Amino acid sequence: MGVIRVHEFTTVDGVVDAPMWTMDYGFPDDLAASIGALTAPATGILLGRTTFEMFAPAWSARTAEEDPGAPFFNDTTKYVVSSTLADAEGVWRNSTTLGGYDAGRIRELKADHDLYVSGSATLVRALVDDGLVDELHLYVYPVAVGSGIRLFPEGRPQTKLSLAGVEALSNGVAHLTYGPAA
């Protein structure tokens, strides 16, 4: 059985929307190593359509010389959860569309793969609700932006998690790792 590891850049007020605010904090070696540890065991990338469509133009043209993460994002199979995207392969190589969200289909995929998820807030909410997330990695930036998409927006039912790890990074970011509630 594989695992699903989710990676989110978030603000202290919980915003995960297009994290342009991360630019002010750089991408130091310890952050790169921390994220590299999440991607290293992955045999597939699971993304929602919106994140896939943001990542495809950003990553598909990058080389390993420009960004050491490029081979992972370009060479690893990407599974896109979308009821509207018909041809993921035509957008970014090594990509396939799974169709609309289906917890059973994700469980089948997880049975054969260690999956890495980045962004994809709507997808992540559904995965958490269905007990499919094994590790939730929140990289909390020391900034509050006031508005934007939140991973757990107001009005959602309570979601209990268990703290599995804490790491302070050199740029002031806190890496919090959560697992399912015990």
Side-chain angles (χ1 to χ4, degrees):
M1 182 69 142
V3 300
I4 295 180
R5 290 179 186 89
V6 174
H7 154 221
E8 297 286 347
F9 288 141
T10 184
T11 61
V12 294
D13 58 344
V15 174
V16 295
D17 194 11
M20 298 311 296
W21 31 263
T22 64
M23 299 302 171
D24 293 340
Y25 298 90
F27 203 82
D29 290 343
D30 57 348
L31 175 58
S34 181
I35 293 173
L38 300 179
T39 61
T43 58
I45 302 170
L46 183 63
L47 299 169
R49 180 194 51 81
T50 301
T51 300
F52 174 79
E53 289 177 342
M54 289 184 346
F55 277 18
W59 284 104
S60 62
R62 285 187 199 171
T63 65
E65 293 75 29
E66 295 168 320
D67 189 315
F72 170 75
F73 282 102
N74 289 315
D75 299 340
T76 304
T77 302
K78 290 153 290 287
Y79 301 94
V80 185
V81 176
S82 175
S83 59
T84 60
L85 181 65
D87 180 23
E89 179 68 29
V91 176
W92 189 7
R93 69 183 169 89
N94 299 323
S95 299
T96 187
T97 304
L98 296 177
Y101 181 79
D102 179 318
R105 186 174 20 222
I106 304 280
R107 278 187 191 88
E108 290 172 10
L109 189 61
K110 181 181 173 181
D112 297 325
H113 297 281
D114 280 349
L115 298 168
Y116 167 79
V117 183
S118 182
S120 308
T122 302
L123 171 61
V124 171
R125 284 184 212 117
L127 293 170
V128 168
D129 288 348
D130 288 328
L132 292 169
V133 173
D134 299 286
E135 298 175 15
L136 176 61
H137 296 267
L138 301 177
Y139 289 84
V140 183
Y141 282 72
V143 62
V145 295
S147 65
I149 296 171
R150 287 178 165 72
L151 184 57
F152 300 108
E154 192 171 326
R156 276 186 54 88
Q158 184 180 47
T159 301
K160 291 187 176 189
L161 303 167
S162 292
L163 183 64
V166 176
E167 174 184 25
L169 301 172
S170 63
N171 61 351
V173 171
H175 171 201
L176 307 175
T177 304
Y178 293 95

